[in-house]
Amino acid sequence: MKMTLIGGIVAGSTMFGAVATAQETLTAVHAFPGTLIYTQSFLQFVDKVNKAGEGVVQIEVRGGPEAIGMFQQPDAVRDGIVDMVYTPGSFYGGALPEKDALVASNLTAIEARENGGIALIDEIHQAKMGVKYLGWFDSGVSYNLWMKNEPKLDANGNLDVSGIKLRGNAVYNAFFTEYLGAQVIDLPTTEVYAGLERGVVDATGWTQIGLIDLKWNEFLNYRVEPNFFSTDLGVIVNLEKWNSLSDEAKKILQDTAIEHEKESVEALRLKRDQDFAALEAGGMKVVELQGEARANYLAAAREKTWGRMKGLMAESPMGDGNYDTLIGLFYNADLDK
């Protein structure tokens, strides 16, 4: 009986061990602090995966920029230091300029997935960076220019940024410098609050949501319309790690990513409306460009970004052969009429 019992325990231990080892784990980091709405959206995705993937696949979040610097994260996932990163494509635009198709997009991830745009972006990520592009999260949210002081307009109604200390960023520097003629001061997101407080900068581009989370509204008093661009936040996975996963684990991750692409669009649009209402209740004023000035502003934001993409693509070994295809998949001119 003892031998039978021991044999049963060993067999049971082996069985449970097999179950335990069958569960696959991916380590992950996120670009922005945990308090920011975009990070919270990613963590919701993680919760969904961990619920759907119990016993099969789990995501273990190691932290944000305090764990790995935000600009080092794309290299970290490519090199296998971490398995998954949630980050703007603009943080690795030097390696993959095609991400500008998302920046200048007027579509959501839902439409870009349906028309094959995300499949092409995934293919390019795998070929150029050795990472799987799992999903484009929090799409459908645009950018605005936010300012401390009342914006100046020239005689033709164009925005005049002379004398403005404008915070720069890889996402919109081409637009700000080449069209607006701005002198930019590059600051990472984590340093902008202090920059505004100390007067290092007095204006910044930022998305339609998140200003309150970051407390930048303590200094910024004006929002310039129209809004421009789209967020380019996505989840990338080390390709070797992705290929090592079971088909079941891959399906859970991909299906959940597609589900979150859809749900995050509506959730963040609601958050945008709530933030705008709260900001305006707190005294935020809106300055609208009109007529030709408005049209030129929007066209420049789009075309300067496309120009940057084409130039950088032409310098890469793969060339710019996907340029027209990407624009066709991520931009619908009829929506801007």
Side-chain angles (χ1 to χ4, degrees):
M1 289 180 62
K2 286 182 179 178
M3 290 181 65
T4 304
L5 180 60
I6 291 169
I9 291 172
V10 171
S13 298
T14 303
M15 179 183 70
F16 288 128
V19 171
T21 55
Q23 179 169 288
E24 301 171 279
T25 301
L26 291 86
T27 57
V29 294
H30 44 81
F32 299 120
T35 54
L36 193 59
I37 183 66
Y38 299 114
T39 303
Q40 293 168 22
S41 174
F42 171 66
L43 296 177
Q44 289 168 10
F45 161 73
V46 171
D47 288 343
K48 292 174 187 175
V49 169
N50 289 347
K51 182 177 179 180
E54 189 171 355
V56 180
V57 63
Q58 298 284 283
I59 300 173
E60 179 186 305
V61 179
R62 296 285 177 84
E66 77 286 352
I68 300 176
M70 61 174 63
F71 298 116
Q72 285 72 53
Q73 290 178 7
D75 286 345
V77 73
R78 180 197 62 198
D79 296 340
I81 296 169
V82 67
D83 299 322
M84 174 184 288
V85 166
Y86 172 69
T87 185
S90 296
F91 284 6
Y92 53 89
L96 204 136
E98 291 87 347
K99 60 83 191 173
D100 273 334
L102 281 71
V103 172
S105 180
N106 62 353
L107 303 180
T108 67
I110 301 167
E111 296 154 317
R113 183 154 310 262
E114 288 175 352
N115 70 19
I118 292 180
L120 178 56
I121 283 290
D122 177 27
E123 179 184 321
I124 294 167
H125 274 75
Q126 294 192 37
K128 282 195 166 186
M129 284 185 65
V131 296
K132 165 74 177 176
Y133 191 83
L134 189 63
W136 179 19
F137 293 173
D138 310 325
S139 63
V141 176
S142 298
Y143 287 76
N144 286 94
L145 183 58
W146 306 84
M147 307 180 73
K148 273 188 179 181
N149 303 313
E150 185 173 1
K152 297 180 292 184
L153 305 180
D154 67 17
N156 296 315
N158 297 300
L159 186 65
D160 178 1
V161 297
S162 57
I164 301 296
K165 292 174 287 186
L166 183 57
R167 178 250 178 164
N169 179 282
V171 180
Y172 35 70
N173 274 357
F175 171 44
F176 283 177
T177 59
E178 294 177 27
Y179 176 68
L180 295 178
Q183 297 294 315
V184 298
I185 301 168
D186 283 348
L187 288 175
T189 304
T190 50
E191 296 178 19
V192 175
Y193 181 93
L196 290 166
E197 184 177 38
R198 297 169 186 167
V200 175
V201 292
D202 48 29
T204 183
W206 188 251
T207 60
Q208 295 172 308
I209 59 176
L211 209 75
I212 297 171
D213 299 335
L214 295 163
K215 300 183 180 179
W216 296 355
N217 58 307
E218 294 177 12
F219 310 102
L220 298 168
N221 303 304
Y222 292 88
R223 185 179 85 239
V224 178
E225 290 285 350
N227 52 292
F228 54 93
F229 288 171
S230 174
T231 52
D232 63 338
L233 290 153
V235 171
I236 53 177
V237 182
N238 176 271
L239 189 56
E240 186 175 345
K241 178 67 175 181
W242 174 260
N243 289 336
S244 75
L245 297 174
S246 67
D247 288 344
E248 186 180 8
K250 289 178 183 176
K251 186 175 190 310
I252 290 168
L253 287 162
Q254 189 63 88
D255 288 353
T256 307
I258 292 171
E259 174 194 346
H260 194 68
E261 282 177 343
K262 296 175 181 177
E263 292 180 354
S264 65
V265 169
E266 293 306 317
L268 267 66
R269 282 177 172 170
L270 176 60
K271 172 66 171 170
R272 174 199 60 197
D273 294 344
Q274 292 171 341
D275 273 15
F276 276 13
L279 288 167
E280 290 178 28
M284 178 75 69
K285 296 179 176 61
V286 180
V287 174
E288 292 254 10
L289 302 184
Q290 303 291 335
E292 189 174 350
R294 177 187 179 91
N296 290 341
Y297 183 84
L298 288 173
R302 182 173 63 248
E303 290 164 9
K304 294 299 181 184
T305 303
W306 285 343
R308 174 177 63 191
M309 180 174 78
K310 188 173 181 65
L312 291 173
M313 286 176 68
E315 295 172 5
S316 74
M318 288 179 63
D320 61 0
N322 285 317
Y323 176 78
D324 291 330
T325 303
L326 285 165
I327 290 177
L329 292 172
F330 284 92
Y331 177 72
N332 183 346
D334 290 338
L335 297 178
D336 285 343
K337 291 179 181 178

